[in-house]
Amino acid sequence: MERAARDKARRDEALSRDPLGHSVADEGTEWLQAFLLLLFRSLRRHPPLLLDTVKNLCDILNPLDQLGIYKSNPGVIGLGGLVSSVAGIITVAWPQLKLKIH
């Protein structure tokens, strides 16, 4: 995270020297791009976190549909349940992929 912050500071400094290469649209989406890049790098470096995140995202589909917050296709609900179950089986088969909380 510190490295990503340093890289962002360097980019910002470079852009301040070259204002023609910087647009207003970049300012609005820059934080989102930085966040998504940091999230992607973090999940790629920590497979247990990636597996747990995928499982939790799939697990939230059914309650959202049942409560009427976000209506979804029954096929999507079934696929989410299948992916969540496979992720759970993976954590049982390979305990080193289980997310450990210290």
Side-chain angles (χ1 to χ4, degrees):
M1 289 177 74
E2 291 173 358
R3 186 173 14 153
R6 282 193 307 268
D7 292 343
K8 182 183 178 316
R10 285 187 204 128
R11 280 194 314 263
D12 290 346
E13 183 179 330
L15 289 175
S16 67
R17 285 188 230 138
D18 183 21
L20 296 177
H22 187 66
S23 71
V24 175
D26 290 339
E27 291 177 11
T29 60
E30 187 175 297
W31 66 270
L32 180 61
Q33 291 173 353
F35 172 75
L36 291 175
L37 182 63
L38 182 62
L39 179 66
F40 173 75
R41 286 180 178 170
S42 298
L43 292 176
R44 192 177 69 187
R45 289 183 188 144
H46 304 288
L49 182 61
L50 172 64
L51 192 62
D52 193 59
T53 302
V54 168
K55 184 177 179 305
N56 288 334
L57 287 174
C58 291
D59 285 341
I60 201 164
L61 291 174
N62 193 20
L64 289 177
D65 183 61
Q66 293 296 317
L67 293 172
I69 296 171
Y70 182 77
K71 286 293 184 185
S72 187
N73 184 335
V76 173
I77 301 296
L79 181 63
L82 177 67
V83 171
S84 176
S85 297
V86 168
I89 291 169
I90 289 172
T91 59
V92 170
W94 291 283
Q96 68 271 18
L97 290 177
K98 184 172 178 153
L99 186 62
K100 296 171 184 73
I101 300 174
H102 300 289

